[in-house]
């Protein structure tokens, strides 16, 4: 039952838009799982520089996060990052302590608080995790195990969100370079569910999200939306969908008198196909397609193929 409570919490947190939002929502969630006075999320470089902390309540930990109190478990936690939770209790002020990374406003006098600290790190440069603190009763073995399990699940969720944030930044940059005002990028999560990486994709995905072809790894066009499937380039990378809103292009085509077949011909030329290749793909006679091309030159006022394609891009009839 404890494990189910943790997994339910993490599933809800996975819908966050950023790691920061996940951590902000995780702190009250942890306080709901394990009774404590305060909760903290921390990230610390092993050289003691670059500390980041987030606390609930905000004033429950030291106002200066670089003020560090000491505990002998620190060296073990830094050298062997793990999801295990440690109880830090009854700290006596007259002993020789080493530096740790759990921060508490009430660290003087020692011994007034009980602490539960979990640590997880992917390498030897950063240690990160969560900490709980409370006065009075000690944390039990059950609470320690539950907290360690929660830390493990949260670290996986944070890693997934960081990868998603990187994908969003990369897709936004790619779309900006391509001038894609009507284009969106969609990726897939670990369960194979599609999620939007930019605002345009969010709107287009809402229209086509019930189409069964979306998760079959195929390209299709429906409701003025072109969906192109892009398989994963390398192992471990997600497959992606490129979505394009065709409504504006088709509206422009209607205004210019460009028929649907002429528009399809223009798209084939844009993909580098010759008139004969386009005819074969459209299952039409080459003479018919050449007639469409001549009509496009006239309607778009373009004298040669390069000018025709440039004019088509300027008008939004074809994309980059």
């Amino acid at each position: 039952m404890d494990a189910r409570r943790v997994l339910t919490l993490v599933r809800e947190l996975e819908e966050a838009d950023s790691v920061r939002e996940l951590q902000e929502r995780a702190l009250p969630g942890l306080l709901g799982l394990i009774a404590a006075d305060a909760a903290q999320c921390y990230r610390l470089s092993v050289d003691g520089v670059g500390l980041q902390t987030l606390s609930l309540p905000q004033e429950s930990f030291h106002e200066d996060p670089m003020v560090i109190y000491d505990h002998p478990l620190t060296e073990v936690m830094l050298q062997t990052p793990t999801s295990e939770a440690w109880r830090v209790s009854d700290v006596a002020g007259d002993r020789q302590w080493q530096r740790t990374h759990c921060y508490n406003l009430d660290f003087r006098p020692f011994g007034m608080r009980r602490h539960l600290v979990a640590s997880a790190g992917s390498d030897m440069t950063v240690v990160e995790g969560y900490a709980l603190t409370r006065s009075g009763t000690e944390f039990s073995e059950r609470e320690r195990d539950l907290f360690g399990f929660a830390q493990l699940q949260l670290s996986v969720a944070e890693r997934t969100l960081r990868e998603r944030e990187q994908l969003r930044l990369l897709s936004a940059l790619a779309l900006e370079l391509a001038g894609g005002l009507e284009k969106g990028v969609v990726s897939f999560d670990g369960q194979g569910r599609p999620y939007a990486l930019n605002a345009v994709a969010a709107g287009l995905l809402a229209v086509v999200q019930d189409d069964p072809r979306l998760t079959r790894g195929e390209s299709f066009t429906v409701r003025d939306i072109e969906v192109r499937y892009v398989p994963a380039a390398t192992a471990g990378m997600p497959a992606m969908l490129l979505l394009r809103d065709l409504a504006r292009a088709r509206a422009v085509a209607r205004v210019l008198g460009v028929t649907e077949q002429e528009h399809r011909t223009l798209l084939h030329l844009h993909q580098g196909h010759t008139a004969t290749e386009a005819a074969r793909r459209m299952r039409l006679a080459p003479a018919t397609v050449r007639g469409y091309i001549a009509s496009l030159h006239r309607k778009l006022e373009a004298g040669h193929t390069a000018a025709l394609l440039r004019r088509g891009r300027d008008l939004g009839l074809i994309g980059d």
Side-chain angles (χ1 to χ4, degrees):
M1 184 174 293
D2 284 341
R4 284 198 295 270
R5 291 169 62 200
V6 170
L7 294 175
T8 298
L9 171 64
V10 173
R11 276 195 295 269
E12 294 173 353
L13 296 177
E14 286 175 341
E15 302 302 320
D17 290 328
S18 66
V19 174
R20 176 77 176 190
E21 180 185 340
L22 180 147
Q23 293 171 345
E24 290 175 346
R25 292 168 55 186
L27 294 180
L30 290 173
L31 291 176
L33 288 173
I34 302 173
D37 299 328
Q40 182 189 54
C41 174
Y42 60 86
R43 181 179 175 87
L44 175 72
S45 299
V46 294
D47 58 7
V49 180
L51 173 69
Q52 299 174 10
T53 61
L54 183 67
S55 304
L56 184 72
Q58 186 174 359
E59 67 277 7
S60 60
F61 290 81
H62 201 284
E63 60 184 6
D64 178 6
M66 294 310 295
V67 174
I68 301 175
Y69 79 85
D70 301 319
H71 194 274
L73 285 175
T74 302
E75 186 174 352
V76 176
M77 295 170 71
L78 290 174
Q79 292 179 354
T80 57
T82 172
S83 61
E84 183 179 353
W86 288 275
R87 291 179 298 183
V88 184
S89 307
D90 299 326
V91 181
D94 58 352
R95 294 181 58 183
Q96 182 66 37
W97 306 105
Q98 296 184 27
R99 192 169 62 183
T100 189
H101 46 273
C102 180
Y103 308 89
N104 182 6
L105 182 63
D106 300 314
F107 71 102
R108 286 192 302 263
F110 291 116
M112 300 302 293
R113 293 278 179 174
R114 310 293 201 257
H115 302 87
L116 196 58
V117 183
S119 173
S122 58
D123 52 44
M124 291 298 295
T125 62
V126 175
V127 177
E128 55 189 344
Y130 290 82
L132 296 178
T133 180
R134 74 183 178 198
S135 59
T137 59
E138 175 63 282
F139 290 100
S140 67
E141 291 293 326
R142 169 190 162 277
E143 290 173 325
R144 190 190 73 179
D145 293 341
L146 180 60
F147 192 52
F149 179 67
Q151 163 63 54
L152 177 62
Q153 300 301 316
L154 286 169
S155 65
V156 172
E158 288 184 13
R159 184 167 61 250
T160 300
L161 274 181
R162 285 194 178 96
E163 292 173 354
R164 188 179 301 177
E165 288 180 325
Q166 290 178 337
L167 279 174
R168 285 199 179 102
L169 290 174
L170 288 172
S171 65
L173 177 60
L175 289 169
E176 181 179 351
L177 292 173
L181 298 178
E182 291 118 7
K183 301 169 190 172
V185 181
V186 171
S187 187
F188 295 91
D189 61 19
Q191 286 71 46
R193 297 172 299 192
Y195 63 91
L197 293 177
N198 66 323
V200 174
L204 299 179
L205 186 59
V207 177
V208 300
Q209 62 183 354
D210 295 328
D211 196 300
R213 293 172 291 184
L214 202 63
T215 55
R216 290 179 187 168
E218 59 183 273
S219 302
F220 60 93
T221 300
V222 63
R223 300 180 189 174
D224 280 343
I225 298 175
E226 178 187 38
V227 180
R228 184 192 301 179
Y229 176 78
V230 181
T234 60
M237 290 294 291
M240 306 187 81
L241 298 175
L242 303 181
L243 275 59
R244 181 172 177 236
D245 188 354
L246 301 177
R248 178 176 176 272
R250 289 180 173 176
V252 171
R254 287 193 296 269
V255 170
L256 297 174
V258 175
T259 67
E260 184 175 348
Q261 290 288 63
E262 290 171 347
H263 194 190
R264 288 181 60 198
T265 300
L266 182 63
L267 293 173
H268 281 295
L269 294 178
H270 173 59
Q271 293 168 8
H273 302 147
T274 65
T276 302
E277 291 170 338
R280 185 171 62 252
R281 292 171 181 269
M282 297 170 67
R283 298 181 180 180
L284 297 172
T288 302
V289 172
R290 283 193 286 270
Y292 292 152
I293 295 174
S295 178
L296 286 167
H297 280 290
R298 184 178 65 258
K299 292 177 180 179
L300 301 187
E301 300 178 350
H304 50 81
T305 302
L308 181 65
L309 296 177
R310 184 169 58 250
R311 181 70 170 151
R313 283 191 293 269
D314 292 342
L315 293 170
L317 293 173
I318 54 178
D320 293 318

